[in-house]
Each structure stands twice: as C-alpha cells, then as structure tokens.
Amino acid sequence: MWRQLPSLVSSSYQASWRSCRRCRSQRRSHCCQDRRLRRPRLLETIHSVETPYGSVTFTVYGTPKPKRPAILTYHDVGLNYKSCFQPLFQFGDMQEIIQNFVRVHVDAPGMEEGAPVFPLGYQYPSLDQLADMIPCVLQYLNFSTVIGVGVGAGAYILSRYALNHPDTVEGLVLINIDPNAKGWMDWAAHKLTGLTSSIPEMILGHLFSQEELSGNSELIQKYRNIITHAPNLDNIELYWNSYNNRRDLNFERGGDITLKCPVMLVVGDQAPHEDAVVECNSKLDPTQTSFLKVSNLLLGKLTEAFKYFLQGMGYMASSCMTRLSRSRTASLTSAASIDGNRSRSRTLSQSSESGTLSSGPPGHTMEVSC
Ligand code: BEZ
C-alpha cells in the first residue's frame, strides 16, 4: 500500500473530542483559527443512486471542468474510497494535478462510512455487476467521459467497465490489478488459508506482502485494527467473496478484448500481485500501456507518473506544473521528440540507487524524478 501516508484512518476512527471540528487539529493555534494558515475548503458532496443491482454511494470533490473528463476512483477490498485514496489525493504534489479535474469516488455497496450491514442472504453484486453500476453514476452526474483510477478489485471493476464502455474511458490507472479468475490451484490455496486465517487476515494478505505483514509495522497494525473492528465486516466479506469469484478479464494482445485507452499499470515491488500485473502488461496493447513498478508505492513517484500520464493525454499543460516539474518535463518532451515515436510501450521503473524514474528502452532514458 501507499507510503508517506498522512492519514490512513478515516475520520470516524479518529479521536475527535478535543480536536477542531473542521480540520481535526489538536493544537490551540491551527489553520482554521489563523487566517493566514486557512486552507480553501474542499467542496465535497455525497450522493446515492439506485441501479439494477442496488444503490451505490459516491462522493464528488471539486466542480466539473469544461472539456475535461472526471477522475473516477474505485477502491480495493477491505477499504472504502477514503481509506484507499485519501493519502494519494491529499498528497501535497497531487494538488496541482487534481485541482484541474472533478473527482468522483465510488464506494462499493456497503463500504461507505456508516453503511448498515446487509441482511443475511443478501446477494452481493458480482464485480461485473459492480462495473455495470457505473453508468448510473455517470448518467446521474451527466458526465460523459472519465479517467479511471482503481486499486485491486477496483482496478478490475474499472477495466471491466472500460471493456463494456470504451468510448467513455479516456485513460486508466490500474494499481495492483489481477485480471485473472482464480484457477483451481488458487482456490485450493484459498480454501486452505481460510481454515487457519480469519477474513481480516486474508484481506490483509491481499493488500500487503508477507514481508510487510511479518514486519507488523504501525501501518499494518492500523489496517489490521480498522478491518478487524469494522462495523461492516460482514459487508466487507461479501465484497471479498465477489472479488474471489471474479471472471477472467480475458485480455488478449491484438485481439478484440483489450483496453482501447492509455493505461498506466502500477505495482508495488513487494506487492502480492506483481506477477499478475506483469502478465497483464504482456496482454495489453504495448503502444497504449505504461508499466510502473514502484517500491512500496511511494506517493511522490506515483504522483509524478500520474502527472506524465495525464500530460501524455494532453491534459497537463506545462504552465500548470511547478518550476521543478517543468524543467523535468522539458527533458522528457525533448527525449520523446528525438525518439519521434510516442506510441511505443513504456516501462517506468524506479531505480533504487538514484531514486529516479526512467522511461523507455535504453538510450531513451528520461529522468523524471528528483
Ligand atoms: C479528493 O480531493 O479527491 C479527495 C479528498 C479526500 C479524500 C479522497 C479524495
């Protein structure tokens, strides 16, 4: 999961009795009290719509920008939009990017804060049905196109949506995606694990690597605590079951079943899904797909890669970028024009020694990090 996390814990889990109701600062002097420190308040609206598969809740931040797609996110199992995306979307460098887009954060049914537990026997939607709920969200908001950002199960759902509605998806950022259905070997392993592990432990095994789990850092303890004590744990288990029963997305390079838009595949270098993401990369159109492997999903690296991804789609004019980013972009742009071929497959990988991101084949290395 993410690194450099400002807050992993959704507001309802935070001790708030002594803190400021607006910004939750525990300090006597803080942003809401000092005019000079006051941050502009985010316009945030929560909506629910009825769909053929039940109601779905989503939260909108910002206002629609003319001629720009919305950024639409879908979270992973065991999380909701806030616990999954708040660290990324509230990351400092991310602000200059997202302020140019309206954001729609979908919560899978029963995962939104305060969601009641579904009654016994409730038929939770399959991942394909969850994908089929998205058109209702976009229709309600009157949005025609999106750039999707999904993690794990959410990445699968957005991919399925893009396969079904290619004209409405301008780009996809897919983090830790596993596009394959579970084979019988996976099922056997899953059943065996289920005999000895609780649902929260199995979900933690999906979100984190074994190394991370055995390290039992503060971060892991926080997630373990959140999931184990979630009042909607029964709902979480239903989403988890739908994830494990997913169909194969059946991507085929050069075939009919493929993503038509630019795709940025992202995987943490210790993530349990590394092989699946690598295989996914091999099945997608190399002219449309970038592959980014980031150690521990560092937010700075991810933000930077996202910036270039949007820029590749013509959405981040260099005038929107910081001076530092602009100078880096200049080298990226010139390298791309020397190459004269914008449509090749790109592998972005983080060099552990220099701490840089490089892109493209040897000889076309583009330094994009500090
Ligand atoms: C956003 O600005 O899109 C955002 C803010 C808080 C949590 C998640 C997303």
Side-chain angles (χ1 to χ4, degrees):
M1 288 298 296
W2 321 114
R3 283 293 175 269
Q4 300 173 10
L5 300 164
S7 161
L8 272 171
V9 191
S10 60
S11 52
S12 59
Y13 292 102
Q14 286 177 330
S16 58
W17 63 278
R18 267 152 49 121
S19 59
C20 168
R21 289 175 61 153
R22 190 183 290 167
C23 75
R24 299 190 190 285
S25 170
Q26 306 244 344
R27 290 170 44 205
R28 204 175 273 272
S29 167
H30 56 89
C31 56
C32 298
Q33 303 213 315
D34 185 337
R35 236 171 221 283
R36 291 163 306 168
L37 298 174
R38 208 172 277 172
R39 277 201 226 145
R41 293 202 62 191
L42 268 176
L43 187 61
E44 165 197 347
T45 52
I46 303 173
H47 311 260
S48 284
V49 283
E50 281 306 319
T51 80
Y53 308 104
S55 88
V56 63
T57 300
F58 50 95
T59 307
V60 180
Y61 286 84
T63 48
K65 307 286 181 288
K67 298 197 184 137
R68 275 177 187 258
I71 292 177
L72 181 128
T73 71
Y74 218 115
H75 63 86
D76 204 354
V77 176
L79 308 171
N80 56 29
Y81 94 84
K82 235 182 212 170
S83 53
C84 192
F85 290 108
Q86 183 159 295
L88 179 62
F89 280 75
Q90 290 199 331
F91 183 66
D93 288 355
M94 193 71 171
Q95 302 316 305
E96 65 176 323
I97 302 175
I98 62 172
Q99 71 188 2
N100 299 298
F101 297 88
V102 61
R103 285 91 65 197
V104 183
H105 302 285
V106 181
D107 275 320
M111 305 304 138
E112 66 276 15
E113 273 179 12
V117 173
F118 290 120
L120 214 65
Y122 174 78
Q123 182 67 46
Y124 197 80
S126 66
L127 292 200
D128 292 356
Q129 291 170 332
L130 292 174
D132 284 342
M133 292 167 134
I134 294 175
C136 301
V137 173
L138 298 185
Q139 230 164 51
Y140 174 92
L141 293 168
N142 206 14
F143 292 169
S144 47
T145 62
V146 297
I147 292 169
V149 181
V151 183
Y156 179 106
I157 291 165
L158 291 181
S159 300
R160 176 66 75 197
Y161 171 75
L163 289 175
N164 294 342
H165 303 272
D167 295 344
T168 67
V169 183
E170 296 197 26
L172 280 175
V173 177
L174 304 174
I175 300 164
N176 293 343
I177 187 171
D178 186 344
N180 303 319
K182 272 188 186 297
W184 68 268
M185 287 276 278
D186 302 315
W187 265 115
H190 181 73
K191 288 280 169 220
L192 225 69
T193 317
L195 294 177
T196 52
S197 306
S198 62
I199 295 290
E201 285 307 318
M202 287 169 77
I203 293 174
L204 286 166
H206 162 76
L207 297 173
F208 297 99
S209 67
Q210 277 316 309
E211 287 87 339
E212 285 174 302
L213 287 176
S214 50
N216 199 26
S217 61
E218 212 173 291
L219 180 88
I220 301 287
Q221 290 173 35
K222 240 174 206 171
Y223 268 111
R224 179 170 282 125
N225 197 32
I226 291 174
I227 298 174
T228 310
H229 298 112
N232 62 340
L233 184 56
D234 290 349
N235 296 351
I236 293 175
E237 183 174 353
L238 295 175
Y239 187 22
W240 174 236
N241 291 341
S242 288
Y243 178 67
N244 288 311
N245 286 317
R246 68 192 179 277
R247 294 194 294 144
D248 211 303
L249 281 173
N250 279 324
F251 290 143
E252 41 173 12
R253 182 167 282 184
D256 286 341
I257 307 174
T258 195
L259 296 172
K260 306 254 166 34
C261 60
V263 178
M264 183 166 96
L265 290 172
V266 184
V267 68
D269 69 351
Q270 293 186 358
H273 315 281
E274 196 176 333
D275 294 347
V277 182
V278 169
E279 190 194 330
C280 182
N281 186 40
S282 74
K283 288 183 179 170
L284 291 176
D285 178 354
T287 67
Q288 292 277 52
T289 310
S290 303
F291 179 73
L292 172 67
K293 188 163 145 181
V294 186
S295 92
N296 289 324
L297 289 185
L298 285 162
L299 291 178
K301 304 288 173 199
L302 199 53
T303 303
E304 191 167 20
F306 187 43
K307 208 182 267 183
Y308 292 126
F309 182 68
L310 293 174
Q311 214 176 26
M313 294 193 299
Y315 283 122
M316 287 290 292
S318 53
S319 60
C320 299
M321 322 256 286
T322 59
R323 199 169 51 82
L324 181 65
S325 306
R326 261 205 306 279
S327 65
R328 289 191 218 125
T329 312
S331 57
L332 178 72
T333 314
S334 55
S337 59
I338 291 165
D339 181 14
N341 177 10
R342 286 160 47 100
S343 60
R344 61 184 155 70
S345 171
R346 300 204 298 169
T347 299
L348 300 161
S349 66
Q350 187 195 359
S351 143
S352 53
E353 274 175 28
S354 64
T356 60
L357 287 168
S358 62
S359 169
H364 297 285
T365 300
M366 291 171 257
E367 197 170 296
V368 295
S369 185
C370 39

